[in-house]
Amino acid sequence: MTEITKSHLLWWENNLDTLGKDFARWLSSSDIKSRKAIFDYIDRNNHITSVLECGPGIFIDYNLYFKNKTNIKYTAVDITPKIVAEGKKLNIDISLASIENIDKPNNCFDLVYCRHVLEHQDNYRKSLDEMLRVSNRFVIVVFWLLSPGKTTISFDNKSQLYHNSYSKAEIEQYLSQNQLQFEWQECDIDRVLIIKK
């Protein structure tokens, strides 16, 4: 069982009941191009047979794409008990885990990805390292806050939520230091980072 020790990780659990419909309406249309970019990438790389989504939210990607992909084993992890319970109702292979401590073995998924998750962590590196650890081929991160200059860590005390804008150059330097190949795709408001191990 994952223990939530950081207050910002409780945000979805505390707000899902009251804001869930608003998020469903906004998320289903605002970032559809970056969703399509991920789905197209998987279709082009037909040797991707296992996918882990970190932070599936209200399961938009699952319902739009993975539910009908019998050749892909879809798995999810989330820090929010309500989301995990909802996923289990949909017969999704989902477990309660932090993106900073994914409860899966090394190199067990062809593709590991998250969407709009790292901006809400207190730092991106631990999450990214965990995603890389459990992936054997690809990691995709979708950012909606990304800075061409310096990283800005922004914590809202009232909502207990981070809205960080990470430095694109800093992320690229970190990946290069770890000898990882990567590319970016721009999709309206989103920046899609594709990392190849």
Side-chain angles (χ1 to χ4, degrees):
M1 181 88 169
T2 296
E3 182 180 346
I4 301 175
T5 57
K6 299 177 181 180
S7 62
H8 66 276
L9 299 178
L10 290 166
W11 191 88
W12 272 93
E13 185 73 6
N14 294 336
N15 293 282
L16 187 61
D17 292 339
T18 55
L19 299 176
K21 289 181 181 175
D22 292 332
F23 282 112
R25 187 174 58 253
W26 184 76
L27 291 174
S28 63
S29 61
S30 68
D31 55 2
I32 195 66
K33 285 190 178 177
S34 62
R35 290 182 195 282
K36 187 175 183 320
I38 292 174
F39 304 156
D40 288 348
Y41 190 80
I42 294 170
D43 288 340
R44 285 194 312 273
N45 292 278
N46 58 11
H47 51 275
I48 294 175
T49 60
S50 58
V51 171
L52 174 68
E53 182 177 8
C54 300
I58 51 178
F59 303 102
I60 293 173
D61 288 9
Y62 174 78
N63 287 313
L64 285 176
Y65 182 79
F66 293 106
K67 181 168 63 173
N68 300 315
K69 287 286 183 179
T70 56
N71 61 324
I72 297 173
K73 170 70 173 120
Y74 172 85
T75 305
V77 294
D78 202 284
I79 196 67
T80 307
K82 288 177 185 172
I83 289 174
V84 173
E86 188 60 33
K88 289 187 181 295
K89 286 181 195 173
L90 297 169
N91 294 315
I92 293 172
D93 179 4
I94 185 170
S95 57
L96 186 68
S98 167
I99 194 173
E100 294 183 340
N101 188 17
I102 300 171
D103 63 340
K104 305 295 179 188
N106 294 350
N107 305 308
C108 62
F109 296 97
D110 295 330
L111 168 65
V112 179
Y113 82 100
C114 69
R115 163 185 305 286
H116 304 170
V117 172
L118 298 192
E119 292 92 338
H120 301 303
Q121 306 300 308
D122 50 8
N123 188 292
Y124 74 87
R125 289 186 181 188
K126 194 169 182 182
S127 301
L128 188 54
D129 287 346
E130 270 294 273
M131 294 172 69
L132 287 163
R133 179 185 67 79
V134 299
S135 168
N136 62 48
R137 301 203 63 167
F138 307 105
V139 170
I140 295 179
V141 180
V142 179
F143 293 94
W144 62 282
L145 293 172
L146 198 62
S147 169
K150 290 184 172 183
T151 290
T152 303
I153 304 297
S154 178
F155 184 70
D156 183 335
N157 280 311
K158 183 177 179 183
S159 64
Q160 292 289 293
L161 190 65
Y162 283 94
H163 287 287
N164 299 332
S165 181
Y166 296 115
S167 164
K168 183 179 178 187
E170 180 185 309
I171 292 168
E172 290 177 346
Q173 182 180 20
Y174 185 69
L175 296 172
S176 296
Q177 287 171 346
N178 288 283
Q179 299 177 339
L180 293 163
Q181 297 178 358
F182 59 90
E183 64 182 88
W184 294 92
Q185 290 184 17
E186 293 192 17
C187 300
D188 287 344
I189 63 168
D190 288 335
R191 300 297 175 266
V192 180
L193 172 62
I194 301 169
I195 305 167
K196 301 174 185 178
K197 288 184 73 177

